Each structure stands twice: as structure tokens, then as C-alpha cells.
Amino acid sequence: MAKILLVEDNEMNRDMLSRRLARKGHEVLLAVDGQSGMEMVRRHAPDLVLMDMSLPVVDGWEATRRLKGDEATRHIPVIALTAHAMSSDRGKALEAGCDDYDTKPVELPRLLAKIELLIQRAAGRTAAEAAP
Ligand code: MN
């Protein structure tokens, strides 16, 4: 089980995905724009962030850039979610510092595999840093 922050302004997408993640045993935190998303990351230190890119106030690209530019939050994996399968979007997301990328509508088994991989990788890194 992981603590996952879902940043998504579309209520239907947010409800559906958060329910499905919760059903898989994850603790799901929600934010509806990039600004509150960044605040939630700092306050709750989630294991992973699912970041919609098209968001009000601060968009997902900018929010990710800021999280990855901050020593306190840069280790937290971010998966970008966009509605477009265009490769330019993927490039833009990775450029902003996203660790991975997926398209909506989300294919849950595929997304869960990415989540698990990134959380394991982050945990491995933390353990390596803690080792003497
Ligand atoms: Mn959106």
C-alpha cells in the first residue's frame, strides 16, 4: 500500500481513478489544481504523485518543475497524466522532470505497474542513502 496524491481538476476522472486506486489498497490524497497539489506534497509527503498536466492555477508541468527543483520534494516520483497520446506531450512531461508518463483514459493494470516500479525504485534509493 502506498500513499498516492492524485492531482486532477476533472471531477469525474478524479473520482473514478481515486476509487480504483483505493480499491487496490492505496491511500489516496486529492488535489484539484497545481498550486494545492504542491502544497499537499509538502504537507503530506506522498510516496508518489499522479499529476494531470492540464490544471488550473499552476499547470502540471510547472508544478512538477517546482517539486523537482526543491530538495525537499525532488525524490518523490511523479507520473504525468495527459489526455493526449502525442509524443511531444511525453517529451514535455519528462523535460519537466516527470519520472514517467501515462495517457487518459487510464488503463489501470498498466498504471499500477508503473506506480509499483517507481515506488520500489524510490525506496531502493532511500535505503542506499541510509546505508553506512
Ligand atoms: Mn485537467
Side-chain angles (χ1 to χ4, degrees), residues 1-2 46-48 75-77 99 115-131:
M1 182 194 122
D47 299 308
L48 181 135
H75 63 284
I76 299 171
D99 299 271
I115 289 171
E116 200 164 311
L117 182 74
L118 284 174
I119 286 176
Q120 273 174 10
R121 204 186 286 165
R125 232 180 2 239
T126 310
E129 280 161 12

Side-chain angles (χ1 to χ4, degrees), residues 42-55:
R42 298 199 175 103
R43 193 174 317 142
H44 299 283
D47 299 308
L48 181 135
V49 180
L50 292 174
M51 184 80 82
D52 177 29
M53 290 288 103
S54 174
L55 290 168

Side-chain angles (χ1 to χ4, degrees), residues 8-10 52 54-55 104:
E8 166 66 85
D9 61 321
N10 180 287
D52 177 29
S54 174
L55 290 168
K104 297 185 282 186

Side-chain angles (χ1 to χ4, degrees), residues 3-17:
K3 183 159 64 170
I4 297 171
L5 171 65
L6 172 60
V7 190
E8 166 66 85
D9 61 321
N10 180 287
E11 189 179 357
M12 211 167 69
N13 290 343
R14 195 172 58 236
D15 287 354
M16 192 168 63
L17 186 52

